[in-house]
Amino acid sequence: MNITQKINDAPMVYEVVTKARGVEEADFDDAVDDPIDSEEVYGLIRSINDPEHPLTLEQLHVANKEHIYVDDQVNHVLIEFTPTIPHCSMATLIGLCIRVRLLRSLPERFKIDIKVRQGTHQSEDQVNKQLNDKERVAAALENTYLLDVVNQCLATAA
């Protein structure tokens, strides 16, 4: 990524604790209903690269499984993420990366809401409005430079 001046030169980096999800025989049976849960959604976004650093959202504690809410019955996913600093100018881009990853990975039936965790960003209302406005998201994804940056962030996503 060609971000020349970093907003947060020395972010806190956290240890990644990998916990394997148990595999059961029913996981391979297409006849068994397999609801999507917060652990599965976290698995989709945890390895997204931060646009400013060669670190993942998990390593920076931007994404956290405890702040992902999934209701498979009503087809709704809510992600709350935490920017590394309260004035992070990359918050909208990070949220856009999360949205694109989920749009590409989850069934279309899901409504996806992405929000900055309350009290973690000085412009959280504006960021949240941008991230959940379909027209703004569509316009952002029509920008080829921005889409290239999003795709670079997602290149490491498992």
Side-chain angles (χ1 to χ4, degrees):
M1 280 150 266
N2 276 346
I3 298 173
T4 54
Q5 185 177 6
K6 295 183 178 180
I7 303 301
N8 185 0
D9 285 330
M12 281 286 288
V13 179
Y14 298 85
E15 183 179 346
V16 174
V17 180
T18 307
K19 186 173 125 180
R21 186 176 188 163
V23 178
E24 300 174 15
E25 191 172 319
D27 292 337
F28 300 102
D29 186 352
D30 290 336
V32 174
D33 185 33
D34 185 20
I36 293 174
D37 60 15
S38 60
E39 190 171 331
E40 186 169 353
V41 172
Y42 181 65
L44 292 170
I45 67 169
R46 66 190 269 185
S47 59
I48 294 172
N49 263 352
D50 180 81
E52 194 174 34
H53 302 283
L55 300 165
T56 66
L57 299 186
E58 179 181 35
Q59 290 172 306
L60 295 170
H61 274 206
V62 171
N64 191 316
K65 188 170 68 171
E66 288 72 32
H67 303 133
I68 298 173
Y69 310 94
V70 178
D71 189 335
D72 195 64
Q73 297 296 316
V74 297
N75 305 316
H76 184 250
V77 174
L78 169 63
I79 307 277
E80 292 181 341
F81 70 97
T82 306
T84 58
I85 52 177
H87 56 279
C88 178
S89 63
M90 297 289 150
T92 305
L93 181 55
I94 291 168
L96 185 62
C97 291
I98 293 170
R99 178 171 296 285
V100 169
R101 175 68 170 140
L102 296 180
L103 287 173
R104 291 178 180 174
S105 303
L106 293 177
E108 288 183 22
R109 65 184 169 92
F110 279 96
K111 178 183 184 317
I112 301 166
D113 288 318
I114 313 268
K115 295 184 177 183
V116 172
R117 288 202 66 227
Q118 187 172 3
T120 63
H121 195 279
Q122 65 187 18
S123 303
E124 70 185 64
D125 291 337
Q126 293 90 332
V127 171
N128 290 341
K129 185 174 182 175
Q130 287 181 325
L131 291 175
N132 293 293
D133 183 318
K134 288 181 183 180
E135 291 172 3
R136 289 183 189 196
V137 169
L141 295 177
E142 287 177 5
N143 179 321
T144 54
Y145 173 75
L146 199 52
L147 186 58
D148 283 345
V149 173
V150 168
N151 286 331
Q152 287 176 28
C153 292
L154 298 180
T156 58

